[in-house]
Amino acid sequence: MKKQFKAESKRLLDLMIHSIYTNKDIFLRELISNASDALDKRYFLALSDDKVKPYTSELAIQIQVDKDHRTLTIVDTGIGMMQDELENNLGTIAKSGSLDFKQKNTDENIDIIGQFGVGFYSAFMVAKKITVESRSPFEETAYCWQSEGEDGYTIKPILKEEIGTKVILELKEDSEEENYSEYLDSYKIQQLVSKYSDYIHYPIKMDITTEKTKEDSEEKEIIIETKTLNSMVPLWKRNKKEITEEEYNNFYMNKFTDWNKPAKVIHYNIEGNISYNALLFIPSAVPYNFYSSEYQSGLQLYSKGVFIKDKAHELVPEYFRFVKGLVDSNDLNLNISREILQQDRQMKLLEKSIEKKIKNTLEDLLKHDRSQYEAFFDNFGLQLKYGIYQDYGMHAETLKDLILFKSSYQDQYTTLKEYISRLKENQEQIYYVAGHDVETLKKLPQMEQLLDKGYEVLYLLDSVDEFALNILRMYDGKAFKSVQQGELDLQSEEEKQANKEKIEENKDLLSAIQEAIKEQVKEVKISSRLKSHPVCLVADEGLSIEMEKVLKQNPEAKDIQATKILEINPNHQLFETLQKVHQNNPELIKDYAEVLYDQALLIEGLPIKDPIRYANKVCQLMIDANK
Ligand code: ADP
């Protein structure tokens, strides 16, 4: 009976069968890498399970070509699949995320394949019919899965002695545009294996037929030799000097299914407390699911060249979770189970050492290739800033010199260290302003005087920024100071004196305004930070207005409030108007106060409570002004 593919798989299949993807070659690498994974699993399970053990043949992959039947066959002696595994593994797509992505990017047929590595299904790019014969050590019977693509698949029992899997591809007919017969050419296969699968640490064997003329006569003889096509030396064990950039890139893109070259390759070898080889990569683009729970961080772990564990997240700290790659150590005991491994002291040593290496690499990049570092930071800087905030600031020390902020100094990225190097004489604080975009922040009333006086201000554009700075509290002995909070202390002694007098003279006016909006603000003040704007809202020390916005996104915290202060510019024309109104028409002050408060909210990007009331009041003021 024919079974149908699950809906998602069907769509992906469709994509493969009618693929316009030019690099069809990758199907072979996908099948070989599946075979290699299956061999890894068998090797690992055999350490503790005798059923898996008795190898009747070596752990290897074999490629067979049959020109007459137009078949290409990949045989492995790996772990094989039981009936329901055949059903589940080959009837559905594990990575459903790829299809979500596809739906959002309907024109990008090409990209999806490279980006997600669709594995087994890619074989449908070249095959019109696929047969998978497989035998698992955990089931008596072997099974055969067969499909011609869209119209479903069948599974039936077969006789098969060997544990392992055999994937038989019946190649499509050649057409004017496409040549599939090339995959029957042993030279082409050798080329593909050496390009994409050279480092696979099981032999990939093939019978190569050559025709030779006999030495002593004209007669030709056909020689069949079994050749191992791959060198089997893992890339990370090879000498750095002999590895080309292309080899690194290919390795990364294949193994970690990314269609972009890595931004940075970190290949090193450490001998000491713990000895290991590592080959790490910093991606050049943010993985599509990086900020979702679907993204799994971690490095592959090998022991003496043998795969032990995928995505060992305990090997990289959370704030470096964007790093991909692998670690191969001779010091880990293979017989210990995966659970014990997690607590292994050796694992802790590994983590510390890897963390240090990543940190040094980033510092180096920052120092020697600023533009590349900034590109990296655009991708993963957010993770570093979260890192500062996480675990009560435990990692702040490690990360504080790796973070960048946009700043009013030439509107560029700056490190905190660079900011400090440009401090004005007697400047005691590091100023920052928080919001969503630089253009809006620049125009904020609170910024005018600071910029005028030549102070540099950091723009905090991500919602985590202010929380991170709150954890750091200081850098190099200077405290962080929000330009939207508390007192700024920018005034000269004379200005201070003048302000004091203004406060004295206008006591009644200020308290009348305060009375009108006392539910909303803690205080109404004569401002020392405003220059050409009439009013602004600032927060008291403690929670800032931006933090209030962030916290309010959580429904449980919707009542959270920053303590607000309304500041009025005594040197603005409006101030005179207020004085007049207060003298001649004191009951009107209430309306003025409400309108000014609402305006200050709008400038901060906060919602006003009653927009209709606000609009009506502004209208009324316009009418009154022209009576
Ligand atoms: P991926 O390898 O990325 O998980 P695939 O579509 O290539 O996705 O394969 C799906 C699953 O089928 C694999 O995860 C594996 O469990 C199983 N599988 C594929 N090929 C083999 C094989 N040669 N031997 C054993 N299991 C296999």
Side-chain angles (χ1 to χ4, degrees):
M1 196 195 71
K2 242 180 202 149
K3 300 190 179 184
Q4 293 304 307
F5 288 104
K6 303 238 163 81
E8 306 203 296
S9 313
K10 222 171 175 162
R11 261 178 285 139
L12 185 55
L13 253 178
D14 189 56
L15 201 77
M16 285 298 132
I17 292 164
H18 307 290
S19 171
I20 53 159
Y21 190 53
T22 45
N23 190 10
K24 293 190 162 47
D25 292 350
I26 57 138
F27 82 91
L28 186 62
R29 144 197 119 191
E30 296 291 323
L31 296 182
I32 289 175
S33 114
N34 281 349
S36 165
D37 288 349
L39 288 160
D40 276 341
K41 282 180 203 158
R42 185 166 181 197
Y43 180 89
F44 190 80
L45 289 174
L47 295 173
S48 56
D49 187 341
D50 285 343
K51 252 206 306 260
V52 186
K53 212 181 249 168
Y55 308 132
T56 44
S57 56
E58 67 169 334
L59 293 181
I61 298 164
Q62 213 190 8
I63 300 179
Q64 297 160 352
V65 169
D66 181 339
K67 287 195 171 142
D68 296 338
H69 296 99
R70 288 184 65 77
T71 59
L72 176 68
T73 304
I74 292 108
V75 188
D76 67 65
T77 48
I79 195 67
M81 283 175 275
M82 294 190 276
Q83 185 179 10
D84 66 331
E85 284 174 326
L86 276 169
E87 175 109 16
N88 292 331
N89 295 345
L90 305 184
T92 34
I93 303 171
K95 303 180 194 90
S96 57
S98 54
L99 272 184
D100 292 348
F101 184 81
K102 170 74 182 88
Q103 276 156 2
K104 286 182 209 131
N105 299 270
T106 40
D107 303 330
E108 293 178 35
N109 267 355
I110 303 174
D111 303 347
I112 183 184
I113 299 169
Q115 180 143 19
F116 300 103
V118 283
F120 177 75
Y121 284 83
S122 62
F124 278 108
M125 290 197 292
V126 300
K128 58 180 182 194
K129 182 172 175 184
I130 302 180
T131 307
V132 180
E133 300 176 358
S134 198
R135 170 135 191 238
S136 156
F138 306 112
E139 202 165 52
E140 278 304 310
T141 324
Y143 287 89
C144 169
W145 179 101
Q146 199 164 53
S147 169
E148 290 182 50
E150 283 138 321
D151 64 340
Y153 59 90
T154 56
I155 293 182
K156 55 174 194 257
I158 47 159
L159 285 178
K160 182 179 188 306
E161 278 291 309
E162 286 263 5
I163 289 172
T165 303
K166 185 173 185 176
V167 179
I168 306 155
L169 309 181
E170 203 173 314
L171 298 176
K172 293 183 189 177
E173 303 303 331
D174 293 341
S175 67
E176 269 178 32
E177 299 89 43
E178 297 290 349
N179 171 12
Y180 300 101
S181 299
E182 61 177 341
Y183 299 116
L184 298 170
D185 172 7
S186 65
Y187 182 69
K188 169 85 179 176
I189 300 293
Q190 290 182 67
Q191 238 186 351
L192 289 183
V193 169
S194 93
K195 178 167 179 194
Y196 291 119
S197 311
D198 189 60
Y199 60 86
I200 295 282
H201 51 268
Y202 299 99
I204 303 170
K205 296 183 170 180
M206 188 161 77
D207 286 346
I208 309 280
T209 311
T210 38
E211 222 176 64
K212 262 194 188 159
T213 319
K214 278 191 184 169
E215 260 174 37
D216 45 1
S217 70
E218 293 286 288
E219 239 178 277
K220 290 198 168 150
E221 105 185 302
I222 289 180
I223 300 170
I224 300 175
E225 277 174 313
T226 305
K227 247 176 108 173
T228 298
L229 310 183
N230 55 330
S231 75
M232 285 191 285
V233 180
L235 190 68
W236 59 94
K237 290 260 173 101
R238 282 172 47 196
N239 186 343
K240 247 168 105 159
K241 292 203 189 83
E242 286 158 16
I243 305 175
T244 64
E245 192 181 323
E246 199 195 352
E247 278 179 295
Y248 278 130
N249 291 348
N250 263 334
F251 177 83
Y252 167 75
M253 294 194 285
N254 297 342
K255 198 161 175 80
F256 300 101
T257 42
D258 190 343
W259 62 311
N260 299 294
K261 291 175 189 159
K264 185 91 194 150
V265 179
I266 313 171
H267 184 188
Y268 66 105
N269 179 22
I270 287 217
E271 308 277 335
N273 254 348
I274 179 147
S275 305
Y276 68 100
N277 279 310
L279 182 49
L280 311 178
F281 301 91
I282 299 176
S284 58
V286 184
Y288 76 104
N289 57 1
F290 186 66
Y291 288 106
S292 78
S293 55
E294 206 184 292
Y295 179 84
Q296 286 184 307
S297 63
L299 305 177
Q300 287 192 342
L301 180 62
Y302 288 75
S303 170
K304 303 188 184 88
V306 175
F307 173 82
I308 298 191
K309 194 176 178 192
D310 202 11
K311 314 263 179 185
H313 60 87
E314 59 275 48
L315 289 176
V316 264
E318 181 73 8
Y319 43 88
F320 291 150
R321 67 203 279 272
F322 47 81
V323 174
K324 300 192 178 196
L326 56 89
V327 171
D328 188 349
S329 172
N330 289 343
D331 296 348
L332 295 169
N333 186 353
L334 240 194
N335 286 312
I336 48 182
S337 83
R338 295 171 194 216
E339 282 70 29
I340 297 169
L341 205 54
Q342 284 178 12
Q343 294 145 26
D344 198 335
R345 202 180 69 87
Q346 307 289 51
M347 292 290 274
K348 284 254 157 20
L349 286 176
L350 271 177
E351 193 213 356
K352 277 277 148 271
S353 167
I354 292 165
E355 178 195 357
K356 205 162 124 202
K357 184 71 189 182
I358 298 173
K359 186 184 169 212
N360 291 346
T361 306
L362 290 175
E363 278 170 352
D364 230 49
L365 197 62
L366 176 60
K367 211 156 145 196
H368 297 117
D369 191 342
R370 179 66 169 225
S371 69
Q372 216 203 343
Y373 189 82
E374 290 186 2
F376 152 77
F377 196 82
D378 279 333
N379 284 334
F380 300 112
L382 197 57
Q383 193 64 49
L384 301 185
K385 292 187 286 190
Y386 275 121
I388 291 193
Y389 178 64
Q390 267 159 10
D391 301 333
Y392 310 101
M394 242 173 79
H395 321 292
E397 232 4 75
T398 313
L399 298 172
K400 69 180 198 268
D401 285 315
L402 290 177
I403 54 171
L404 302 177
F405 292 104
K406 281 272 160 62
S407 126
S408 63
Y409 178 75
Q410 301 181 341
D411 280 357
Q412 289 180 353
Y413 267 134
T414 181
T415 61
L416 295 172
K417 204 180 220 153
E418 289 160 354
Y419 182 105
I420 293 288
S421 74
R422 292 187 292 261
L423 282 186
K424 272 171 73 97
E425 208 180 320
N426 298 330
Q427 182 181 344
E428 286 306 321
Q429 293 170 313
I430 301 173
Y431 295 110
Y432 69 81
V433 59
H436 290 292
D437 65 287
V438 171
E439 285 317 308
T440 314
L441 292 180
K442 268 189 197 167
K443 286 188 225 136
L444 277 185
Q446 295 93 323
M447 289 285 283
E448 202 178 5
Q449 205 179 135
L450 271 156
L451 295 184
D452 247 39
K453 292 196 169 169
Y455 288 99
E456 180 176 347
V457 182
L458 299 176
Y459 297 122
L460 270 49
L461 303 174
D462 287 317
S463 41
V464 66
D465 291 354
E466 235 181 330
F467 294 88
L469 290 194
N470 261 295
I471 291 272
L472 280 177
R473 286 186 42 242
M474 294 223 182
Y475 183 89
D476 206 9
K478 307 282 176 199
F480 293 105
K481 175 74 193 162
S482 164
V483 311
Q484 298 148 297
Q485 253 181 306
E487 286 297 335
L488 281 188
D489 199 20
L490 295 174
Q491 291 183 311
S492 63
E493 283 311 312
E494 291 111 77
E495 285 169 324
K496 276 185 192 160
Q497 190 52 36
N499 241 18
K500 241 187 207 155
E501 284 161 21
K502 280 265 158 60
I503 293 170
E504 231 6 80
E505 289 160 19
N506 295 288
K507 244 187 186 153
D508 290 350
L509 170 61
L510 292 175
S511 48
I513 297 174
Q514 168 132 24
E515 182 57 28
I517 50 174
K518 66 168 187 271
E519 299 296 323
Q520 291 90 334
V521 301
K522 177 189 160 202
E523 205 182 339
V524 176
K525 252 188 183 168
I526 292 284
S527 180
S528 62
R529 79 186 87 209
L530 287 175
K531 196 166 170 226
S532 67
H533 295 268
V535 289
C536 75
L537 211 53
V538 299
D540 208 355
E541 303 294 350
L543 198 66
S544 78
I545 292 175
E546 273 310 300
M547 288 161 106
E548 170 188 319
K549 284 189 216 164
V550 175
L551 294 173
K552 268 194 167 150
Q553 286 165 9
N554 176 355
E556 273 172 30
K558 68 179 187 307
D559 293 331
I560 225 154
Q561 289 279 354
T563 310
K564 300 186 184 72
I565 295 168
L566 183 73
E567 290 195 355
I568 303 184
N569 183 352
N571 304 316
H572 194 279
Q573 218 187 337
L574 182 88
F575 196 69
E576 282 170 39
T577 310
L578 287 172
Q579 287 172 320
K580 265 189 226 150
V581 172
H582 183 53
Q583 233 164 37
N584 305 334
N585 241 336
E587 73 284 0
L588 260 188
I589 269 296
K590 193 166 176 310
D591 286 347
Y592 276 66
E594 280 182 24
V595 168
L596 284 176
Y597 173 69
D598 280 350
Q599 282 184 350
L601 284 176
L602 288 175
I603 292 172
E604 289 304 314
L606 287 168
I608 51 184
K609 208 171 174 188
D610 189 344
I612 296 173
R613 189 179 154 94
Y614 169 75
N616 286 342
K617 279 197 195 302
V618 172
C619 244
Q620 191 57 50
L621 290 173
M622 286 177 181
I623 295 166
D624 291 348
N626 288 293
K627 257 185 190 158

